[in-house]
Amino acid sequence: MPVISVKMAGKLPSKAELDAVASEITEVFVKRLGKAKERVVINFSEVNEDAFYFGAKSVGDIKRSK
């Protein structure tokens, strides 16, 4: 049973968008790895953008500097 965790800085997209992404991720595991669709577990979670860093700079700072 694959358990897939997707963490995103900032707000998660809409439920409809999450549904579409979950469907696509599931299909990759079914087609490429032969996993049973009903056994693929996906968890989406938000990470505070000021606590998510690239090269010692937070995503929040990166967004604010644009």
Side-chain angles (χ1 to χ4, degrees), residues 4 11 14 42 57 66:
I4 303 148
K11 296 282 184 193
S14 69
I42 302 172
K57 192 169 186 179
K66 290 184 179 184

Side-chain angles (χ1 to χ4, degrees), residues 16-17 26 29 34 51 57 61:
E17 191 65 33
T26 299
F29 276 75
K57 192 169 186 179
D61 287 342

